[in-house]
Amino acid sequence: MVKLTFYGGVREIGGNKILLEDDKGKLFLDFGYPYGKYRKFYEEYLKPRAGAGLLDLLVMGLLPHLEGIYRSDLDTGNLWQQFRRAEHYRKLEDIDGILLTHAHLDHSGHISFLKEDIPVYATATTAFIAKAIQDSGKADFDQQVCYFTPRVEECLKEWKQGAYVASSGGDRQRRFYVADESRLRKEARDFWERATRQKKLDSQPLGDIGNCSFNLRCFPVDHPIPGACAWGIETSSGWVVYSGDLRLHGKQGRLTESFMKEAAQLHPRALILEGTNVDKAANISEQEVYENAFKAINDAKGLVIADFSARDVNRLLTFLQIARDTKRKLVILPKDAYLLKTMRLLEPETPDLNEEDALVIYQETTAARSPAAWLRNIYEECASKIVLAKDVSSNQGDFILCFSFFDLNELPSIQPRAGSLYVFSSSEPHNEEQEMDFRRLHHWLGHPDETFKDGNIVFQIRGFGLPIERNGKWEVPEEERGLHASGHACGPDLLRVAREIQPEMLIPVHSEKPEFYVDNLGGSGVDIILPTEGGTVEI
Ligand SMILES: [Zn+2]
C-alpha cells in the first residue's frame, strides 16, 4: 500500500510538503516554506526566534510534528515530549530523500531544518540557484537551504537559561544528488564546494541520482525560475507524478508539453497537480510582455525603471533584449549578476557579464566597506561593468534600471528627472502587507509634491502597468495591461495537463480553490481527491 500524506500545500499556495511512503522507502515531495502560515503570526519585525531552535516553529504549527527528521543541533533536550500527543505527531526515521522541484523558497525553504544527511534530489540548475540565492541573500536561520551553521545549546549559567547560538566552526553543506551530473564541469564543482561567506564550507559532494532506491523520472518543465522539474516515482501501486509548479505559455513551454506526453505514457496511478491560477481564463505570453514593454520604453525619453520579480531570468532576458533594441543599457543588481554567472556554469547560452555590451551592474551607493566574498568577486571580475548612482543620474535616458520596491532607497542618490517611467512587470498585491508596499510605491513615484524649481530633484515618475487601488481592489488600468506573464498555467491549460496525462487519480495542491478540478473534470474518468492538512491518501 502506498500512502501520500500532505503536510503543506493544502488550500495554500506554496509550502508543499508531501510524504510518499511505500515498502521501497519514504520520500518527501518538496519541503517548502509556508508563507501564508507565517503571515498569520509573523512579519518583518516579529519572527520565530533563532535562539529557540525548533520550538517556535513546532508550537506555532509552521513545521509538521515529525520527530526524527530535523537537524539534531536544533532538537536537543526533551523538546518532543509535549508534541507526542499532537494530532499528526509521528516518529519518522529513515527518510530516503527530498525530491525538490525548483528553487523557489515556497518549495525549498524548509529544507533548512532537515537533517543534513537526508539527500536532496534536484536538477543541477536548481541546486546551483538555491546556493546562489543563499550566498547572496539574507539567509535567515530558517532559509539555509544548501548549507547551514550548526547551532549549539549554550547554557548561560548566570541567567539560568540557555539558547541555541551559532557555532563558530564551518558551515555544513547538505547532500545534493542531481539528475544531470554529467553536465558538471570542474568550475561548476568548484562553485558548489566553495563558501562565499568568510567561513569555511564543510562540503558534501553532489552525487549521481542513480543510487536512489526508487525508480525516478525527472521531467524539466517551464516556470520562471530555471531548472524547474516535475517528478515521476515508480511505486508498488504504479507511477505517481508530481507536477511542482508549471506553465505552458512561457519561453520553455515545449518542456511542459514533453512532460505531459512522457508522463501520459507512464499511465500514472496518481497525478499531484498544482492549481495556483485555476481562476485565470487566459495567459499573457513572454512575447506579449516584450512587445508591450518595448512600446512603452521606446517612447520614453528619461530614466526607465523595470520592476520584475527577482530570479525571473526569462524576464531579465526580455528586458535585456528591449535594452538592446532601444539602445539603452540594462542595469542589474549584483545579486542578479551573481545568478547569471552561476547559471552560465551550467548553461553556456546564458549571457556573459563581461561580453554583453547592453549589460551593466549597479553598485549601491552605501556599499559596505568589506563586502561578502561573492559580492567582492563580482566587483572585481566585472570592474569595467560597474555603474554608480551618479553615472545613472547624469545620463538617465541611457539606462533601464532593474529595481523593485526594495531598491527604491537609491532614488535620492539618482534623482530621476522629468519624464521618468516605472514599468511594472510583476503580479498585483496578494495580501495586506503587499498592499501597504504598493501604497508606499505610489508615494515614492509621486514624490515630491512640488518639483524643486531650480534644483535638480524631480521624481514624479510615471507608473506604467502598475496596479491602482479602486474601491478596495487593485487593478492595472485597462490600457496598460499585458506586462506580466504569470509563472503558472491558467485554468484551461491546467485542465489540458490533467486530461492529457489522464491519471487514474488527481490530487490538487498549491491552490486556494482545488474544487476547480472537481467542477471541471467530473465525468472525465479521473478520480479527484482533495487532500486535507496532515491527512493521508492511500493509493
Ligand atoms: Zn514556484
Side-chain angles (χ1 to χ4, degrees), residues 186-215:
K186 184 177 176 307
E187 291 161 274
R189 286 177 189 285
D190 286 350
F191 163 77
W192 187 254
E193 284 159 22
R194 220 174 22 209
T196 70
R197 297 186 182 269
Q198 271 70 5
K199 276 196 231 147
K200 197 173 134 265
L201 190 62
D202 177 10
S203 166
Q204 299 250 25
L206 293 148
D208 193 321
I209 213 156
N211 45 15
C212 178
S213 52
F214 282 93
N215 188 14

PDB file of all heavy atoms in Angstrom, residues 186-215:
ATOM      1  N   LYS A 186      34.471  21.134 -14.105  1.00  0.00           N
ATOM      2  CA  LYS A 186      35.236  21.401 -12.898  1.00  0.00           C
ATOM      3  C   LYS A 186      34.864  22.728 -12.228  1.00  0.00           C
ATOM      4  O   LYS A 186      34.655  22.783 -11.017  1.00  0.00           O
ATOM      5  CB  LYS A 186      36.736  21.367 -13.205  1.00  0.00           C
ATOM      6  CG  LYS A 186      37.562  21.545 -11.935  1.00  0.00           C
ATOM      7  CD  LYS A 186      39.035  21.445 -12.132  1.00  0.00           C
ATOM      8  CE  LYS A 186      39.774  21.731 -10.823  1.00  0.00           C
ATOM      9  NZ  LYS A 186      39.387  23.000 -10.209  1.00  0.00           N
ATOM     10  N   GLU A 187      34.747  23.770 -13.059  1.00  0.00           N
ATOM     11  CA  GLU A 187      34.397  25.084 -12.485  1.00  0.00           C
ATOM     12  C   GLU A 187      33.089  25.005 -11.714  1.00  0.00           C
ATOM     13  O   GLU A 187      32.915  25.651 -10.682  1.00  0.00           O
ATOM     14  CB  GLU A 187      34.136  26.099 -13.602  1.00  0.00           C
ATOM     15  CG  GLU A 187      35.301  26.520 -14.416  1.00  0.00           C
ATOM     16  CD  GLU A 187      34.792  27.117 -15.714  1.00  0.00           C
ATOM     17  OE1 GLU A 187      34.556  26.324 -16.662  1.00  0.00           O
ATOM     18  OE2 GLU A 187      34.611  28.346 -15.771  1.00  0.00           O
ATOM     19  N   ALA A 188      32.147  24.215 -12.256  1.00  0.00           N
ATOM     20  CA  ALA A 188      30.850  24.102 -11.613  1.00  0.00           C
ATOM     21  C   ALA A 188      30.995  23.411 -10.259  1.00  0.00           C
ATOM     22  O   ALA A 188      30.413  23.832  -9.260  1.00  0.00           O
ATOM     23  CB  ALA A 188      29.889  23.330 -12.513  1.00  0.00           C
ATOM     24  N   ARG A 189      31.808  22.372 -10.227  1.00  0.00           N
ATOM     25  CA  ARG A 189      32.027  21.673  -8.949  1.00  0.00           C
ATOM     26  C   ARG A 189      32.697  22.592  -7.935  1.00  0.00           C
ATOM     27  O   ARG A 189      32.374  22.579  -6.756  1.00  0.00           O
ATOM     28  CB  ARG A 189      32.903  20.441  -9.165  1.00  0.00           C
ATOM     29  CG  ARG A 189      32.166  19.344  -9.836  1.00  0.00           C
ATOM     30  CD  ARG A 189      33.048  18.155 -10.115  1.00  0.00           C
ATOM     31  NE  ARG A 189      32.293  17.242 -10.948  1.00  0.00           N
ATOM     32  CZ  ARG A 189      31.320  16.482 -10.491  1.00  0.00           C
ATOM     33  NH1 ARG A 189      31.022  16.478  -9.207  1.00  0.00           N
ATOM     34  NH2 ARG A 189      30.637  15.707 -11.309  1.00  0.00           N
ATOM     35  N   ASP A 190      33.633  23.403  -8.418  1.00  0.00           N
ATOM     36  CA  ASP A 190      34.319  24.341  -7.523  1.00  0.00           C
ATOM     37  C   ASP A 190      33.313  25.292  -6.876  1.00  0.00           C
ATOM     38  O   ASP A 190      33.404  25.585  -5.691  1.00  0.00           O
ATOM     39  CB  ASP A 190      35.350  25.177  -8.293  1.00  0.00           C
ATOM     40  CG  ASP A 190      36.562  24.350  -8.648  1.00  0.00           C
ATOM     41  OD1 ASP A 190      36.669  23.209  -8.135  1.00  0.00           O
ATOM     42  OD2 ASP A 190      37.393  24.829  -9.439  1.00  0.00           O
ATOM     43  N   PHE A 191      32.362  25.767  -7.692  1.00  0.00           N
ATOM     44  CA  PHE A 191      31.341  26.686  -7.172  1.00  0.00           C
ATOM     45  C   PHE A 191      30.595  26.027  -6.017  1.00  0.00           C
ATOM     46  O   PHE A 191      30.345  26.626  -4.978  1.00  0.00           O
ATOM     47  CB  PHE A 191      30.358  27.060  -8.289  1.00  0.00           C
ATOM     48  CG  PHE A 191      29.063  27.650  -7.800  1.00  0.00           C
ATOM     49  CD1 PHE A 191      29.007  28.965  -7.365  1.00  0.00           C
ATOM     50  CD2 PHE A 191      27.895  26.886  -7.749  1.00  0.00           C
ATOM     51  CE1 PHE A 191      27.817  29.513  -6.894  1.00  0.00           C
ATOM     52  CE2 PHE A 191      26.712  27.422  -7.278  1.00  0.00           C
ATOM     53  CZ  PHE A 191      26.667  28.736  -6.853  1.00  0.00           C
ATOM     54  N   TRP A 192      30.268  24.747  -6.195  1.00  0.00           N
ATOM     55  CA  TRP A 192      29.499  24.041  -5.173  1.00  0.00           C
ATOM     56  C   TRP A 192      30.273  23.899  -3.872  1.00  0.00           C
ATOM     57  O   TRP A 192      29.727  23.935  -2.783  1.00  0.00           O
ATOM     58  CB  TRP A 192      29.092  22.664  -5.702  1.00  0.00           C
ATOM     59  CG  TRP A 192      28.156  21.960  -4.775  1.00  0.00           C
ATOM     60  CD1 TRP A 192      28.443  20.908  -3.954  1.00  0.00           C
ATOM     61  CD2 TRP A 192      26.785  22.293  -4.537  1.00  0.00           C
ATOM     62  NE1 TRP A 192      27.339  20.557  -3.246  1.00  0.00           N
ATOM     63  CE2 TRP A 192      26.303  21.387  -3.567  1.00  0.00           C
ATOM     64  CE3 TRP A 192      25.915  23.257  -5.052  1.00  0.00           C
ATOM     65  CZ2 TRP A 192      24.991  21.410  -3.096  1.00  0.00           C
ATOM     66  CZ3 TRP A 192      24.613  23.287  -4.585  1.00  0.00           C
ATOM     67  CH2 TRP A 192      24.165  22.379  -3.618  1.00  0.00           C
ATOM     68  N   GLU A 193      31.585  23.715  -4.022  1.00  0.00           N
ATOM     69  CA  GLU A 193      32.382  23.385  -2.846  1.00  0.00           C
ATOM     70  C   GLU A 193      32.938  24.590  -2.108  1.00  0.00           C
ATOM     71  O   GLU A 193      33.593  24.457  -1.087  1.00  0.00           O
ATOM     72  CB  GLU A 193      33.514  22.440  -3.257  1.00  0.00           C
ATOM     73  CG  GLU A 193      32.965  21.037  -3.483  1.00  0.00           C
ATOM     74  CD  GLU A 193      33.853  20.181  -4.356  1.00  0.00           C
ATOM     75  OE1 GLU A 193      35.051  20.482  -4.455  1.00  0.00           O
ATOM     76  OE2 GLU A 193      33.335  19.215  -4.938  1.00  0.00           O
ATOM     77  N   ARG A 194      32.638  25.781  -2.621  1.00  0.00           N
ATOM     78  CA  ARG A 194      33.212  26.980  -2.028  1.00  0.00           C
ATOM     79  C   ARG A 194      32.167  27.736  -1.227  1.00  0.00           C
ATOM     80  O   ARG A 194      31.049  27.936  -1.687  1.00  0.00           O
ATOM     81  CB  ARG A 194      33.707  27.874  -3.155  1.00  0.00           C
ATOM     82  CG  ARG A 194      35.017  28.552  -2.852  1.00  0.00           C
ATOM     83  CD  ARG A 194      35.513  29.307  -4.060  1.00  0.00           C
ATOM     84  NE  ARG A 194      34.431  29.629  -4.990  1.00  0.00           N
ATOM     85  CZ  ARG A 194      34.574  29.769  -6.286  1.00  0.00           C
ATOM     86  NH1 ARG A 194      35.727  29.612  -6.852  1.00  0.00           N
ATOM     87  NH2 ARG A 194      33.556  30.064  -7.067  1.00  0.00           N
ATOM     88  N   ALA A 195      32.544  28.155  -0.041  1.00  0.00           N
ATOM     89  CA  ALA A 195      31.660  29.040   0.703  1.00  0.00           C
ATOM     90  C   ALA A 195      31.896  30.439   0.184  1.00  0.00           C
ATOM     91  O   ALA A 195      33.014  30.799  -0.137  1.00  0.00           O
ATOM     92  CB  ALA A 195      31.992  29.001   2.180  1.00  0.00           C
ATOM     93  N   THR A 196      30.851  31.227   0.073  1.00  0.00           N
ATOM     94  CA  THR A 196      31.117  32.573  -0.401  1.00  0.00           C
ATOM     95  C   THR A 196      31.054  33.573   0.742  1.00  0.00           C
ATOM     96  O   THR A 196      31.294  34.721   0.559  1.00  0.00           O
ATOM     97  CB  THR A 196      30.158  32.997  -1.499  1.00  0.00           C
ATOM     98  OG1 THR A 196      28.908  33.155  -0.893  1.00  0.00           O
ATOM     99  CG2 THR A 196      30.105  31.995  -2.599  1.00  0.00           C
ATOM    100  N   ARG A 197      30.701  33.075   1.921  1.00  0.00           N
ATOM    101  CA  ARG A 197      30.893  33.953   3.074  1.00  0.00           C
ATOM    102  C   ARG A 197      32.302  33.706   3.580  1.00  0.00           C
ATOM    103  O   ARG A 197      33.038  32.908   3.010  1.00  0.00           O
ATOM    104  CB  ARG A 197      29.827  33.653   4.125  1.00  0.00           C
ATOM    105  CG  ARG A 197      28.490  33.967   3.544  1.00  0.00           C
ATOM    106  CD  ARG A 197      27.358  33.868   4.498  1.00  0.00           C
ATOM    107  NE  ARG A 197      26.169  34.165   3.719  1.00  0.00           N
ATOM    108  CZ  ARG A 197      25.655  35.372   3.580  1.00  0.00           C
ATOM    109  NH1 ARG A 197      26.190  36.393   4.181  1.00  0.00           N
ATOM    110  NH2 ARG A 197      24.599  35.560   2.832  1.00  0.00           N
ATOM    111  N   GLN A 198      32.662  34.324   4.648  1.00  0.00           N
ATOM    112  CA  GLN A 198      34.050  34.205   5.061  1.00  0.00           C
ATOM    113  C   GLN A 198      34.371  32.824   5.632  1.00  0.00           C
ATOM    114  O   GLN A 198      35.487  32.378   5.610  1.00  0.00           O
ATOM    115  CB  GLN A 198      34.387  35.296   6.082  1.00  0.00           C
ATOM    116  CG  GLN A 198      34.885  36.577   5.422  1.00  0.00           C
ATOM    117  CD  GLN A 198      33.799  37.318   4.673  1.00  0.00           C
ATOM    118  OE1 GLN A 198      32.644  36.941   4.709  1.00  0.00           O
ATOM    119  NE2 GLN A 198      34.173  38.368   3.965  1.00  0.00           N
ATOM    120  N   LYS A 199      33.335  32.169   6.121  1.00  0.00           N
ATOM    121  CA  LYS A 199      33.595  30.903   6.814  1.00  0.00           C
ATOM    122  C   LYS A 199      33.892  29.762   5.850  1.00  0.00           C
ATOM    123  O   LYS A 199      33.544  29.794   4.688  1.00  0.00           O
ATOM    124  CB  LYS A 199      32.379  30.552   7.642  1.00  0.00           C
ATOM    125  CG  LYS A 199      32.393  31.253   8.973  1.00  0.00           C
ATOM    126  CD  LYS A 199      31.403  30.596   9.884  1.00  0.00           C
ATOM    127  CE  LYS A 199      30.482  31.605  10.493  1.00  0.00           C
ATOM    128  NZ  LYS A 199      29.167  31.105  10.714  1.00  0.00           N
ATOM    129  N   LYS A 200      34.465  28.732   6.416  1.00  0.00           N
ATOM    130  CA  LYS A 200      34.781  27.535   5.651  1.00  0.00           C
ATOM    131  C   LYS A 200      33.494  26.741   5.407  1.00  0.00           C
ATOM    132  O   LYS A 200      32.611  26.711   6.255  1.00  0.00           O
ATOM    133  CB  LYS A 200      35.748  26.703   6.493  1.00  0.00           C
ATOM    134  CG  LYS A 200      36.490  25.650   5.746  1.00  0.00           C
ATOM    135  CD  LYS A 200      37.531  25.017   6.671  1.00  0.00           C
ATOM    136  CE  LYS A 200      37.487  23.516   6.553  1.00  0.00           C
ATOM    137  NZ  LYS A 200      36.689  22.812   7.528  1.00  0.00           N
ATOM    138  N   LEU A 201      33.423  26.095   4.256  1.00  0.00           N
ATOM    139  CA  LEU A 201      32.261  25.252   3.965  1.00  0.00           C
ATOM    140  C   LEU A 201      32.661  23.789   4.099  1.00  0.00           C
ATOM    141  O   LEU A 201      33.584  23.330   3.443  1.00  0.00           O
ATOM    142  CB  LEU A 201      31.767  25.538   2.551  1.00  0.00           C
ATOM    143  CG  LEU A 201      30.433  24.944   2.142  1.00  0.00           C
ATOM    144  CD1 LEU A 201      29.324  25.493   3.017  1.00  0.00           C
ATOM    145  CD2 LEU A 201      30.141  25.266   0.701  1.00  0.00           C
ATOM    146  N   ASP A 202      31.984  23.091   4.994  1.00  0.00           N
ATOM    147  CA  ASP A 202      32.222  21.665   5.161  1.00  0.00           C
ATOM    148  C   ASP A 202      31.380  20.981   4.098  1.00  0.00           C
ATOM    149  O   ASP A 202      30.215  20.694   4.286  1.00  0.00           O
ATOM    150  CB  ASP A 202      31.799  21.267   6.577  1.00  0.00           C
ATOM    151  CG  ASP A 202      31.939  19.790   6.800  1.00  0.00           C
ATOM    152  OD1 ASP A 202      32.532  19.118   5.938  1.00  0.00           O
ATOM    153  OD2 ASP A 202      31.449  19.307   7.823  1.00  0.00           O
ATOM    154  N   SER A 203      31.991  20.761   2.941  1.00  0.00           N
ATOM    155  CA  SER A 203      31.217  20.484   1.737  1.00  0.00           C
ATOM    156  C   SER A 203      30.870  19.012   1.553  1.00  0.00           C
ATOM    157  O   SER A 203      31.685  18.134   1.791  1.00  0.00           O
ATOM    158  CB  SER A 203      32.014  20.991   0.546  1.00  0.00           C
ATOM    159  OG  SER A 203      31.492  20.481  -0.631  1.00  0.00           O
ATOM    160  N   GLN A 204      29.663  18.767   1.120  1.00  0.00           N
ATOM    161  CA  GLN A 204      29.229  17.421   0.732  1.00  0.00           C
ATOM    162  C   GLN A 204      29.146  17.410  -0.783  1.00  0.00           C
ATOM    163  O   GLN A 204      28.580  18.320  -1.357  1.00  0.00           O
ATOM    164  CB  GLN A 204      27.829  17.145   1.271  1.00  0.00           C
ATOM    165  CG  GLN A 204      27.752  17.210   2.772  1.00  0.00           C
ATOM    166  CD  GLN A 204      27.537  15.838   3.354  1.00  0.00           C
ATOM    167  OE1 GLN A 204      27.894  14.834   2.729  1.00  0.00           O
ATOM    168  NE2 GLN A 204      26.970  15.782   4.531  1.00  0.00           N
ATOM    169  N   PRO A 205      29.655  16.402  -1.409  1.00  0.00           N
ATOM    170  CA  PRO A 205      29.678  16.415  -2.873  1.00  0.00           C
ATOM    171  C   PRO A 205      28.292  16.278  -3.484  1.00  0.00           C
ATOM    172  O   PRO A 205      27.368  15.773  -2.851  1.00  0.00           O
ATOM    173  CB  PRO A 205      30.534  15.199  -3.219  1.00  0.00           C
ATOM    174  CG  PRO A 205      30.440  14.315  -2.033  1.00  0.00           C
ATOM    175  CD  PRO A 205      30.237  15.193  -0.839  1.00  0.00           C
ATOM    176  N   LEU A 206      28.179  16.739  -4.710  1.00  0.00           N
ATOM    177  CA  LEU A 206      26.983  16.452  -5.500  1.00  0.00           C
ATOM    178  C   LEU A 206      27.124  15.005  -5.953  1.00  0.00           C
ATOM    179  O   LEU A 206      28.228  14.551  -6.209  1.00  0.00           O
ATOM    180  CB  LEU A 206      26.963  17.351  -6.738  1.00  0.00           C
ATOM    181  CG  LEU A 206      26.771  18.836  -6.474  1.00  0.00           C
ATOM    182  CD1 LEU A 206      27.517  19.640  -7.512  1.00  0.00           C
ATOM    183  CD2 LEU A 206      25.294  19.163  -6.523  1.00  0.00           C
ATOM    184  N   GLY A 207      26.037  14.295  -6.050  1.00  0.00           N
ATOM    185  CA  GLY A 207      26.169  12.903  -6.473  1.00  0.00           C
ATOM    186  C   GLY A 207      25.225  12.582  -7.609  1.00  0.00           C
ATOM    187  O   GLY A 207      24.397  13.389  -7.984  1.00  0.00           O
ATOM    188  N   ASP A 208      25.368  11.395  -8.127  1.00  0.00           N
ATOM    189  CA  ASP A 208      24.517  10.938  -9.217  1.00  0.00           C
ATOM    190  C   ASP A 208      23.219  10.391  -8.626  1.00  0.00           C
ATOM    191  O   ASP A 208      23.225   9.685  -7.631  1.00  0.00           O
ATOM    192  CB  ASP A 208      25.259   9.834  -9.970  1.00  0.00           C
ATOM    193  CG  ASP A 208      24.595   9.528 -11.286  1.00  0.00           C
ATOM    194  OD1 ASP A 208      23.351   9.532 -11.326  1.00  0.00           O
ATOM    195  OD2 ASP A 208      25.323   9.286 -12.260  1.00  0.00           O
ATOM    196  N   ILE A 209      22.102  10.703  -9.258  1.00  0.00           N
ATOM    197  CA  ILE A 209      20.796  10.336  -8.746  1.00  0.00           C
ATOM    198  C   ILE A 209      20.557   8.825  -8.827  1.00  0.00           C
ATOM    199  O   ILE A 209      19.654   8.274  -8.189  1.00  0.00           O
ATOM    200  CB  ILE A 209      19.740  11.124  -9.538  1.00  0.00           C
ATOM    201  CG1 ILE A 209      18.552  11.464  -8.667  1.00  0.00           C
ATOM    202  CG2 ILE A 209      19.299  10.389 -10.792  1.00  0.00           C
ATOM    203  CD1 ILE A 209      17.810  12.669  -9.170  1.00  0.00           C
ATOM    204  N   GLY A 210      21.413   8.129  -9.580  1.00  0.00           N
ATOM    205  CA  GLY A 210      21.204   6.721  -9.879  1.00  0.00           C
ATOM    206  C   GLY A 210      21.045   5.792  -8.681  1.00  0.00           C
ATOM    207  O   GLY A 210      20.385   4.758  -8.779  1.00  0.00           O
ATOM    208  N   ASN A 211      21.595   6.158  -7.503  1.00  0.00           N
ATOM    209  CA  ASN A 211      21.556   5.198  -6.403  1.00  0.00           C
ATOM    210  C   ASN A 211      20.364   5.341  -5.459  1.00  0.00           C
ATOM    211  O   ASN A 211      20.347   4.798  -4.374  1.00  0.00           O
ATOM    212  CB  ASN A 211      22.871   5.254  -5.616  1.00  0.00           C
ATOM    213  CG  ASN A 211      23.283   6.692  -5.350  1.00  0.00           C
ATOM    214  OD1 ASN A 211      22.458   7.597  -5.501  1.00  0.00           O
ATOM    215  ND2 ASN A 211      24.523   6.908  -4.983  1.00  0.00           N
ATOM    216  N   CYS A 212      19.312   6.065  -5.876  1.00  0.00           N
ATOM    217  CA  CYS A 212      18.098   6.145  -5.055  1.00  0.00           C
ATOM    218  C   CYS A 212      17.375   4.803  -5.122  1.00  0.00           C
ATOM    219  O   CYS A 212      17.412   4.120  -6.144  1.00  0.00           O
ATOM    220  CB  CYS A 212      17.202   7.261  -5.580  1.00  0.00           C
ATOM    221  SG  CYS A 212      15.663   7.410  -4.674  1.00  0.00           S
ATOM    222  N   SER A 213      16.710   4.418  -4.019  1.00  0.00           N
ATOM    223  CA  SER A 213      16.060   3.105  -4.012  1.00  0.00           C
ATOM    224  C   SER A 213      14.793   3.072  -4.882  1.00  0.00           C
ATOM    225  O   SER A 213      14.289   2.014  -5.204  1.00  0.00           O
ATOM    226  CB  SER A 213      15.727   2.705  -2.580  1.00  0.00           C
ATOM    227  OG  SER A 213      15.013   3.741  -1.951  1.00  0.00           O
ATOM    228  N   PHE A 214      14.287   4.235  -5.247  1.00  0.00           N
ATOM    229  CA  PHE A 214      13.119   4.279  -6.125  1.00  0.00           C
ATOM    230  C   PHE A 214      13.567   4.466  -7.573  1.00  0.00           C
ATOM    231  O   PHE A 214      14.600   5.072  -7.841  1.00  0.00           O
ATOM    232  CB  PHE A 214      12.237   5.490  -5.785  1.00  0.00           C
ATOM    233  CG  PHE A 214      11.391   5.303  -4.569  1.00  0.00           C
ATOM    234  CD1 PHE A 214      11.849   5.717  -3.324  1.00  0.00           C
ATOM    235  CD2 PHE A 214      10.125   4.734  -4.661  1.00  0.00           C
ATOM    236  CE1 PHE A 214      11.061   5.578  -2.194  1.00  0.00           C
ATOM    237  CE2 PHE A 214       9.341   4.586  -3.542  1.00  0.00           C
ATOM    238  CZ  PHE A 214       9.808   5.006  -2.298  1.00  0.00           C
ATOM    239  N   ASN A 215      12.731   3.985  -8.501  1.00  0.00           N
ATOM    240  CA  ASN A 215      12.932   4.332  -9.892  1.00  0.00           C
ATOM    241  C   ASN A 215      12.314   5.716 -10.094  1.00  0.00           C
ATOM    242  O   ASN A 215      11.116   5.903  -9.891  1.00  0.00           O
ATOM    243  CB  ASN A 215      12.248   3.277 -10.769  1.00  0.00           C
ATOM    244  CG  ASN A 215      12.576   3.466 -12.230  1.00  0.00           C
ATOM    245  OD1 ASN A 215      13.501   4.200 -12.573  1.00  0.00           O
ATOM    246  ND2 ASN A 215      11.806   2.820 -13.092  1.00  0.00           N
TER     247      ASN A 215
END
